[in-house]
Amino acid sequence: MARRTEQQLTDRRIVTRAIADAFRKLRPQTILRNPVMFVVEVGAALTTIQLGWNLLHHGGEIGFGFQITLWLWFTVLFANFAEAMAEGRGKAQAETLRKARTETPARRLRADGSTEMVVSTALHAGDVVMVTAGEFIPGDGEVVEGVASVDESAITGESAPVIREAGGDRSAVTGGTRVLSDEIRVQITSNPGETFLDRMIGLVEGASRKKTPNEVALNILLAGLTIIFLLAVVTLEPFAVYTGAPQNLFVLISLLVCLIPTTIGGLLSAIGIAGMDRLIQRNVIALSGRAVEAAGDVDVLLLDKTGTITLGNRQATAFFPCPGVEEIELARTAQLASLADETPEGRSIVVLAKEKYGLRGQELAQHNPTFIPFSAQTRMSGVDLDALQIRKGAPDAIARHVAARGNPVPEEAQRAVRDISSEGGTPLLVAADGRLLGAVALTDIVKGGIHERFGQLRAMGIRTVMITGDNPLTAAFIARQAGVDDFLAEAKPEDKMRLIRNEQAKGKLVAMTGDGTNDAPALAQADVGVAMNTGTQAAKEAGNMVDLDSSPTKLIEIVEIGKQLLITRGALTTFSVANDVAKYFAILPAMFAAAFPQLEVLNVMHLASPESAVLSAVIFNALIIVALIPLALRGVRYRPLGAAALLKRNLLIYGLGGVVAPFVGIKLIDLLLTHLRIV
Amino acid sequence: MTVGGWFQIALYLLVIFLITKPMGVFLAKVFSREKTFLDPVLRPVEKAVYRLCGVDEKREMRWTEYAVAMLAFSGVSMTLLYLIERTQKWLPLNPQKLPNVPPFLAFGTAASFTTNTNWQAYNGETTMSYLTQMAGLAYHNFVSAAVGIVLAIALVRGIARRETDKLGNFWVDMTRCLLWVLLPVCLVASLVLVSQGVIQNFHPYTQAQLISPHWVQAPGADGKPTVEKIARQVIPEGPVASQEAIKEFGTNGGGFFGANSAHPFENPTPFSNFLELALIFAIPSGLTFTLGRMTGSERHGWAVWTAMAFLFFVGVTATYWAESQGNPLFHGVDQHASALQPGGNMEGKEARFGDADSVLFATVTTDASCGAVNSTFDSYTPLGGMVPLVNILLGEVVFGGVGAGLYGMIVFVILAVFIAGLMVGRTPEYLGKKIEAYEVKMAMLAILILTVTILVFSAIAVTQPFGVSSITNPGPHGLTQVLYAYASSAGNNGSAFAGLNANTPWYNASTALAQLLGRFFMIIPILAIAGSLAGKKTAPESQGTFPVTGPLFSTLLVATIVIVGALTFFPALSLGPILEHLMMTAGKIF
């Protein structure tokens, strides 16, 4: 699968299949899951029977009854279509994933060390298989021996191969991915049908979708409102009979369907599926819908410093020469010392010297270089050239090295070391032939825009906590620079765990990312635990989401998607409930104006006739579902605002808008119907 | 409408505003067992009560235990009242030698007073002995009010507490409510009412000689109309003052006399009228502040108060406007306000009160689930009479009955928070408590019970002969009468629209059933919500928390009440008072 791009809502294949599914979903057993639409379907069935009766006996409403019945069925179909559309995108992805799941041969290791050929579907947890270059990994597992490069594009959509090796945090492999080089032994960790790929297919297809807690609560509310309106309509008939204006079935069912919250009832499951789908578009697999909702509720984000807040590793940012030393000389020397240093810090020194002074350092080969690697004992590295001995390293190590040659460490150099440390950087000293040339500052580079991002999170009421192994001084400096609310310095896995427990005890919801096996307990404890796909199997099992891109900043996007999901639900519920005001004013005068012309004053929209009024309301009610499908699938645009501002804005749009929109819509439909002489 | 009338209404609202905080603080202290100035006198009494009844005041109850205690207490009290009514003939303090109350009426009355409804299908002065009035009815006026208050307190505790299953001790809460709140205030208020002319005695009824006798036409024994000369009048007496204060302060509304607060012995002066009005809203309004104080968000309490005050003001304005218009079909009758008369529709109103004080009383008593009246709603203009009906249909959450108003309002708060709360991008939270499936289910159940009871009973009544036969004014007005009877019963208001003959087996039984359903089936889900909320963690407030304070929230709350609470009844109302109004403007009255 190529990197997933936003599929167009109008993808013809998906639409065609969704239309077919909409009819399939008319089955009462299926629709019973949705109490609101079930009532509409029963209503439509009743009007159909009444219509048939009228046709057979040539009595009662026929033309009007036919149109009402038709639009009631459309209402159900539109809601089914919305759900099918939401599922459609997942189904398309599931098909692609299924291709990766085809049976592959596997070489299983016997107890005596020999191998046997079996099919991948016969593998069980605990089996060990050999996989060599060019072969597919037959199932999920841990690399127990060897190291290999693996093409995981079938799962992640990322074409660059990744390294998987035994031990450590990069040992997990996924079934259906392909080994590109070397040979590894993999211990299988999942049984047939329970593999990661199986679960993923189930999730994107929506097959294993359970209603999330909030969805259940919302369904109860909608069912309750439906019962209340059902009562209001059922008892209206006795009142109407008492008053002397009995009603026909078509009008009563029209009133009922218009009053019950069909808009949200029809779109609710589509919103949920689309929310999960939006995560999948961003290469995040949520292992439960509950986790997506929890993401919207998160109060505290635990973010790893490296990769999330800062750019990977620390980098050289400045040279501080000693008195009497030109900065360019210090830069050249530091570059020479780092040419063979393959660490990211070493490379960054080479790059800084090049950027600042255009130094390229090619002349090295002519001088019989001998590289001195870094060691834990000496805590310095360097290079010996013809007549020059260059060393760089930790300040105290270089200071000893210089002092041993009888040279002083100037006050300026000591101050530079202190300044760099206090600003959160790491100082290195550079010496040539035992003479101190100056200091190099290595600092963490805070990612661009991250400060604003945290500001937005704060406005949303989310606290960010930076987790780092740095000392408190450095951590404090970076925390300040990045704008996080708090930090945990010199963090060990158990510290993380304690932090999460403390926050949860205060009633807060915590989200974190992790990849290592030692992150697993914390991932399991966190309310939203996002495991990196590159991480260990243990981490992936402990978390409730897996990020296929293994991007540490993904957590922020996940929170936004969670919030967007909840906002969309709330907005459409409010809209749906607010719609009722106008529908009363359309249908009630139409019901009773014939018997009591005085009630015509309630016809504030001046709808043409009682029939056109009722029909317009029913048509509006059906069409609004279709009109809102794109919003349900895309989600209400999310804005990082505080709750009060967000509420005001959304209440204005969906609350007030929900009151006004149907007045306009019903009137327009009525004008159109009368213009076309349909009623 | 007159300046004087508006001044009365504005003054009333101001007084209620000023009472709210002191009353709220006092209630919070009483139920949090903090020290109050009454402690030196009442604390020994309280301890004696517990010793006598074997109550362990330290022991708290889970919601189920609280509910069982409340139900058991109400059941025993109701049975006692029924027995007193059925045996009053043989009991003391019956100078008029009134017979035992018939079974259906006795059952209906027992249900009605136990549920704080005080629906009266009888006239007190011709049906109830002094003993029944005092030991039976007044007793219930105190304890049914206390039950409402302590339930509201239990719910507030549920919101305020965290990770516990305890809501307090029902017996302790009841005792403190009676000793600290209801008895002292009623003692003082009764004496003030006596100073205004409310009577308090055990005399037999006075036979008075009329100064100017008058003649009335009545059907004689042979069916032909005969003219009868009336020269004497029976003036009922009784221990009225002691029952009058709690009638308002406990939002009970059951009058000593059939004429209720329109009777000069119950409500003699403009001042007594104002005092009675203030007593009705005192506790319901104060409880909003108690809610804020006990949950640590006084601003939330005020936001709820604002929503209530707004709905009250809209209601009173609408009724006042409708009534001051007068009857458009009275041609040539002066209905304008002048120095000689208050103007407007005066049918069914006391000339002493005029239309301003009458509509104020009508709005307050129906907002507050009280049911005391000083005018007859049946004679109001259609729209003027619709407002009291709508007030009850909203669930009596506009200040509402003592306790019942607050817990009913919190149900709407929960719904408002749940419907709109999602729009801030979080699972809905109310003061730090997550609103989940269980709370929504219980809140919907509470709302459903009211709707089902009112609509189903009314639908049966208007289509069956045993229901229709009691309607005195057929047509839309009759529908209003029936709707009002069941709304008033299910809402535990107790005021009657009048005009409906409610003393029939069907109406006595069905209204009693409606009262019991509206009271106890409403209370149980509410206690369940309290129990569930108490067990939850409280999420700390942040920028992302749904705001339950400020004008935006008040607006949202009002919108939720109107759309969920009132729109359900819009079809019924449009065939009742709305249709009647439109037909009246077209020249037809009922």
Side-chain angles (χ1 to χ4, degrees):
Chain A
M1 194 182 327
R3 186 151 189 87
R4 294 178 188 95
T5 48
E6 279 283 338
Q7 272 163 309
Q8 287 301 303
L9 291 171
T10 49
D11 185 322
R12 194 176 301 153
R13 211 161 43 95
I14 295 178
V15 174
T16 332
R17 185 160 50 183
I19 291 172
D21 279 345
F23 282 95
R24 234 168 270 142
K25 283 169 185 280
L26 285 176
R27 286 175 52 220
Q29 304 96 298
T30 318
I31 213 151
L32 201 54
R33 272 171 60 98
N34 185 338
V36 182
M37 293 325 290
F38 179 73
V39 170
V40 181
E41 190 170 79
V42 170
L46 286 176
T47 56
T48 311
I49 294 168
Q50 173 84 59
L51 188 65
W53 173 272
N54 288 358
L55 281 171
L56 280 175
H57 295 81
H58 304 286
E61 298 280 358
I62 291 180
F64 172 68
F66 173 74
Q67 297 194 56
I68 292 288
T69 309
L70 191 68
W71 281 100
L72 291 181
W73 282 114
F74 276 151
T75 310
V76 188
L77 285 173
F78 290 161
N80 287 348
F81 176 71
E83 194 180 67
M85 276 296 286
E87 287 169 352
R89 300 204 285 183
K91 279 190 178 149
Q93 281 159 353
E95 262 165 37
T96 326
L97 285 172
R98 249 192 215 105
K99 284 181 192 137
R101 204 183 49 169
T102 46
E103 280 189 5
T104 49
R107 275 186 293 143
R108 182 161 63 186
L109 221 59
R110 287 212 189 90
D112 59 6
S114 63
T115 59
E116 57 176 345
M117 293 303 291
V118 292
V119 287
S120 55
T121 47
L123 290 172
H124 286 266
D127 288 349
V128 177
V129 294
M130 305 284 299
V131 193
T132 42
E135 290 180 340
F136 282 98
I137 297 174
D140 297 352
E142 297 265 1
V143 181
V144 287
E145 200 182 307
V147 51
S149 62
V150 179
D151 171 14
E152 293 195 337
S153 61
I155 305 287
T156 62
E158 188 62 64
S159 54
V162 292
I163 301 296
R164 292 284 175 256
E165 58 189 332
D169 289 346
R170 290 156 170 250
S171 60
V173 288
T174 312
T177 58
R178 201 158 61 96
V179 173
L180 293 178
S181 67
D182 307 284
E183 184 177 64
I184 46 174
R185 279 185 189 194
V186 177
Q187 180 163 32
I188 301 296
T189 51
S190 61
N191 287 320
E194 297 167 11
T195 64
F196 186 64
L197 212 54
D198 288 317
R199 273 198 289 170
M200 215 172 134
I201 291 168
L203 282 164
V204 296
E205 257 189 342
S208 55
R209 208 178 87 83
K210 276 205 223 95
K211 281 189 186 139
T212 57
N214 175 257
E215 227 178 327
V216 171
L218 198 50
N219 251 313
I220 291 173
L221 176 86
L222 298 182
L225 289 176
T226 305
I227 297 173
I228 288 179
F229 287 120
L230 188 64
L231 266 166
V233 173
V234 167
T235 54
L236 181 58
E237 180 62 8
F239 297 149
V241 169
Y242 165 83
T243 315
Q247 297 298 309
N248 70 48
L249 186 76
F250 298 112
V251 176
L252 284 173
I253 289 185
S254 298
L255 178 65
L256 173 64
V257 169
C258 285
L259 293 184
I260 62 176
T262 47
T263 314
I264 180 66
L267 294 172
L268 185 57
S269 71
I271 296 170
I273 299 168
M276 294 282 270
D277 194 56
R278 271 198 297 283
L279 274 182
I280 293 168
Q281 307 281 349
R282 285 176 180 72
N283 267 356
V284 177
I285 304 293
L287 301 178
S288 77
R290 187 184 284 262
V292 187
E293 250 167 38
D297 285 348
V298 159
D299 302 286
V300 183
L301 283 188
L302 301 191
L303 298 167
D304 277 323
K305 182 198 79 176
T306 309
T308 313
I309 296 169
T310 61
L311 285 170
N313 296 290
R314 31 193 66 205
Q315 298 184 350
T317 47
F319 296 109
F320 295 90
C322 288
V325 180
E326 287 295 316
E327 191 173 335
I328 187 164
E329 189 191 347
L330 170 63
R332 181 183 295 117
T333 316
Q335 191 185 38
L336 285 174
S338 308
L339 279 177
D341 184 352
E342 275 304 311
T343 62
E345 289 89 350
R347 275 197 298 252
S348 78
I349 294 175
V350 176
V351 171
L352 182 70
K354 190 166 82 184
E355 279 174 357
K356 253 187 151 170
Y357 298 104
L359 299 172
R360 300 207 167 266
Q362 299 120 320
E363 69 272 37
L364 203 61
Q366 306 145 23
H367 302 284
N368 305 318
T370 316
F371 293 107
I372 314 293
F374 178 87
S375 81
Q377 281 78 39
T378 60
R379 296 176 61 223
M380 55 187 184
S381 62
V383 61
D384 287 342
L385 301 176
D386 295 333
L388 193 64
Q389 200 187 28
I390 303 174
R391 292 288 181 274
K392 73 171 203 292
D396 52 335
I398 298 291
R400 267 199 308 279
H401 166 75
V402 170
R405 301 291 190 89
N407 287 323
V409 176
E411 176 58 30
E412 286 80 356
Q414 285 176 18
R415 196 184 313 128
V417 166
R418 272 199 308 275
D419 288 351
I420 294 167
S421 300
S422 68
E423 282 174 17
T426 307
L428 289 181
L429 287 182
V430 179
D433 282 339
R435 185 173 68 100
L436 192 67
L437 295 183
V440 181
L442 296 177
T443 42
D444 274 313
I445 311 287
V446 171
K447 281 186 174 176
I450 202 92
H451 200 280
E452 290 70 36
R453 201 77 179 266
F454 290 147
Q456 292 174 353
L457 287 172
R458 201 170 305 118
M460 287 151 52
I462 297 174
R463 223 160 59 86
T464 43
V465 179
M466 180 180 84
I467 309 287
T468 171
D470 291 339
N471 63 55
L473 200 67
T474 312
F477 181 80
I478 296 167
R480 203 163 48 242
Q481 219 183 350
V484 292
D485 298 300
D486 205 352
F487 62 87
L488 185 64
E490 290 168 353
K492 291 181 284 296
E494 56 272 24
D495 296 334
K496 259 195 220 182
M497 191 73 179
R498 197 175 321 120
L499 182 70
I500 294 174
R501 286 227 173 98
N502 285 346
E503 294 288 351
Q504 285 175 335
K506 286 186 243 163
K508 295 183 181 176
L509 261 61
V510 184
M512 68 167 285
T513 51
D515 55 0
T517 300
N518 54 18
D519 283 333
L523 277 173
Q525 178 72 30
D527 301 282
V528 177
V530 182
M532 302 289 171
N533 194 44
T534 53
T536 59
Q537 198 66 33
K540 280 156 92 173
E541 305 248 309
N544 43 23
M545 293 193 197
V546 177
D547 176 20
L548 300 175
D549 294 341
S550 305
S551 150
T553 40
K554 202 52 90 49
L555 199 52
I556 299 173
E557 285 176 49
I558 293 172
V559 168
E560 290 181 354
I561 290 173
K563 286 199 176 293
Q564 196 188 24
L565 173 73
L566 295 174
I567 292 173
T568 308
R569 252 184 224 157
L572 292 183
T573 309
T574 309
F575 184 84
S576 193
V577 172
N579 268 203
D580 278 2
V581 181
K583 293 171 186 168
Y584 272 120
F585 280 99
I587 299 183
L588 280 183
M591 288 174 109
F592 299 114
F596 306 103
Q598 295 88 352
L599 279 175
E600 189 58 30
V601 292
L602 291 182
N603 183 7
V604 289
M605 285 172 270
H606 299 292
L607 304 176
S609 68
E611 286 79 16
S612 78
V614 175
L615 193 58
S616 303
V618 173
I619 293 177
F620 175 83
N621 195 50
L623 289 183
I624 197 73
I625 296 179
V626 181
L628 290 174
I629 290 177
L631 184 72
L633 296 190
R634 213 178 44 235
V636 169
R637 223 184 107 201
Y638 173 72
R639 278 166 229 280
L641 297 171
L646 212 55
L647 179 66
K648 194 179 219 165
R649 195 191 151 78
N650 287 334
L651 264 185
L652 214 60
I653 299 176
Y654 300 100
L656 197 61
V659 174
V660 176
F663 278 104
V664 180
I666 292 174
K667 177 70 189 169
L668 286 178
I669 295 172
D670 181 72
L671 285 175
L672 196 68
L673 288 181
T674 31
H675 183 72
L676 297 175
R677 297 178 193 285
I678 289 174
V679 281
Chain B
M1 292 188 268
T2 61
V3 177
W6 279 115
F7 176 75
Q8 293 257 29
I9 293 167
L11 180 70
Y12 178 68
L13 197 54
L14 178 71
V15 167
I16 293 306
F17 172 71
L18 293 176
I19 291 176
T20 303
K21 187 171 175 179
M23 178 58 85
V25 170
F26 182 69
L27 288 170
K29 280 187 176 174
V30 168
F31 291 106
S32 310
R33 313 187 64 125
E34 289 170 36
K35 245 185 114 52
T36 65
F37 68 99
L38 291 170
D39 280 18
V41 187
L42 295 177
R43 190 61 191 137
V45 183
E46 187 194 12
K47 280 188 191 154
V49 169
Y50 297 149
R51 253 199 313 278
L52 200 69
C53 304
V55 172
D56 176 5
E57 59 177 314
K58 296 267 153 39
R59 203 181 140 273
E60 296 219 333
M61 300 174 171
R62 302 184 57 231
W63 80 262
T64 40
E65 198 184 342
Y66 207 95
V68 168
M70 180 272 299
L71 288 174
F73 176 75
S74 301
V76 170
S77 301
M78 182 172 157
T79 313
L80 263 174
L81 173 56
Y82 180 79
L83 292 178
I84 294 176
E85 287 181 81
R86 298 286 297 133
T87 55
Q88 66 175 7
K89 194 165 97 180
W90 307 296
L91 297 174
L93 284 178
N94 189 355
Q96 289 309 116
K97 305 277 175 279
L98 292 167
N100 291 335
V101 183
F104 266 110
L105 183 60
F107 168 71
T109 307
S112 149
F113 276 74
T114 310
T115 54
N116 195 252
T117 310
N118 297 24
W119 169 266
Q120 294 167 296
Y122 62 89
N123 280 318
E125 57 269 47
T126 55
T127 319
M128 302 294 175
S129 75
Y130 292 163
L131 184 85
T132 312
Q133 292 269 21
M134 294 174 78
L137 304 181
Y139 161 81
H140 273 280
N141 283 353
F142 277 96
V143 296
S144 70
V147 166
I149 296 170
V150 304
L151 284 166
I153 293 295
L155 177 57
V156 173
R157 285 196 190 117
I159 301 165
R161 292 180 175 183
R162 58 179 80 172
E163 293 171 82
T164 170
D165 57 356
K166 300 288 192 286
L167 292 177
N169 185 317
F170 176 74
W171 308 112
V172 172
D173 289 342
M174 283 293 285
T175 310
R176 291 185 72 87
C177 183
L178 288 166
L179 284 180
W180 266 261
V181 186
L182 298 181
L183 286 169
V185 174
C186 287
L187 189 70
V188 175
S190 299
L191 291 174
V192 176
L193 285 173
V194 167
S195 81
Q196 296 299 303
V198 177
I199 58 166
Q200 177 81 7
N201 60 45
F202 293 125
H203 299 165
Y205 296 172
T206 306
Q207 299 281 333
Q209 199 71 38
L210 292 182
I211 298 167
S212 60
H214 63 276
W215 286 263
V216 293
Q217 210 178 29
D222 53 354
K224 283 190 196 134
T226 56
V227 175
E228 213 178 306
K229 181 186 174 188
I230 307 276
R232 294 158 63 80
Q233 184 187 356
V234 180
I235 299 176
E237 307 272 346
V240 180
S242 57
Q243 201 158 325
E244 191 61 29
I246 189 65
K247 178 185 103 186
E248 273 85 21
F249 194 52
T251 64
N252 295 286
F256 194 93
F257 303 115
N260 212 306
S261 279
H263 196 293
F265 284 169
E266 286 204 29
N267 189 7
T269 65
F271 176 72
S272 71
N273 192 60
F274 195 87
L275 176 66
E276 291 182 8
L277 282 169
L279 284 172
I280 295 175
F281 270 1
I283 292 179
S285 182
L287 275 173
T288 61
F289 193 86
T290 312
L291 165 73
R293 189 179 160 100
M294 286 176 75
T295 57
S297 174
E298 289 182 7
R299 290 187 56 217
H300 171 60
W302 282 118
V304 171
W305 189 90
T306 309
M308 290 175 167
F310 173 79
L311 286 169
F312 162 71
F313 191 73
V314 170
V316 82
T317 305
T319 329
Y320 193 22
W321 172 83
E323 289 307 300
S324 65
Q325 296 299 302
N327 188 332
L329 304 183
F330 282 175
H331 300 294
V333 176
D334 180 17
Q335 299 184 74
H336 292 285
S338 65
L340 295 174
Q341 61 152 353
N345 171 30
M346 281 301 291
E347 184 192 322
K349 295 191 182 68
E350 266 276 346
R352 294 184 290 145
F353 301 126
D355 60 355
D357 259 345
S358 297
V359 299
L360 183 60
F361 210 111
T363 317
V364 168
T365 198
T366 49
D367 277 335
S369 171
C370 178
V373 287
N374 70 359
S375 54
T376 308
F377 301 161
D378 196 38
S379 303
Y380 274 38
T381 59
L383 291 185
M386 183 173 82
V387 174
L389 176 57
V390 169
N391 281 340
I392 301 176
L393 291 176
L394 289 177
E396 286 168 336
V397 292
V398 184
F399 296 104
V402 286
L406 186 70
Y407 62 65
M409 189 58 149
I410 290 178
V411 168
F412 278 113
V413 169
I414 287 175
L415 281 186
V417 166
F418 186 78
I419 292 172
L422 283 169
M423 284 198 293
V424 306
R426 287 172 69 96
T427 304
E429 274 168 359
Y430 174 42
L431 294 171
K433 297 293 177 82
K434 279 206 165 18
I435 302 300
E436 290 164 297
Y438 187 78
E439 289 76 32
V440 174
K441 194 190 295 174
M442 292 301 152
M444 284 316 288
L445 213 56
I447 288 183
L448 256 175
I449 279 159
L450 196 68
T451 316
V452 172
T453 312
I454 297 172
L455 287 178
V456 171
F457 277 126
S458 302
I460 296 172
V462 296
T463 45
Q464 300 303 319
F466 52 76
V468 181
S469 59
S470 286
I471 295 173
T472 53
N473 308 76
H477 194 77
L479 180 60
T480 311
Q481 291 176 343
V482 171
L483 265 179
Y484 196 95
Y486 291 107
S488 177
S489 297
N492 297 147
N493 184 287
S495 62
F497 204 68
L500 185 78
N501 172 24
N503 194 4
T504 67
W506 157 256
Y507 281 103
N508 271 326
S510 62
T511 52
L513 200 59
Q515 289 155 16
L516 293 171
L517 287 171
R519 176 77 163 186
F520 297 111
F521 278 70
M522 174 106 180
I523 282 173
I524 292 169
I526 281 163
L527 273 178
I529 292 175
S532 163
L533 289 180
K536 295 188 183 207
K537 285 180 186 168
T538 304
E541 203 182 321
S542 77
Q543 279 285 305
T545 310
F546 182 83
V548 286
T549 57
L552 187 64
F553 176 71
S554 301
T555 313
L556 174 67
L557 188 53
V558 168
T560 309
I561 293 169
V562 170
I563 292 183
V564 178
L567 276 190
T568 323
F569 297 103
F570 190 53
L573 290 174
S574 62
L575 288 180
I578 295 176
L579 180 59
E580 189 188 352
H581 169 78
L582 294 171
M583 292 177 91
M584 177 184 79
T585 52
K588 188 164 163 50
I589 52 167
F590 297 91

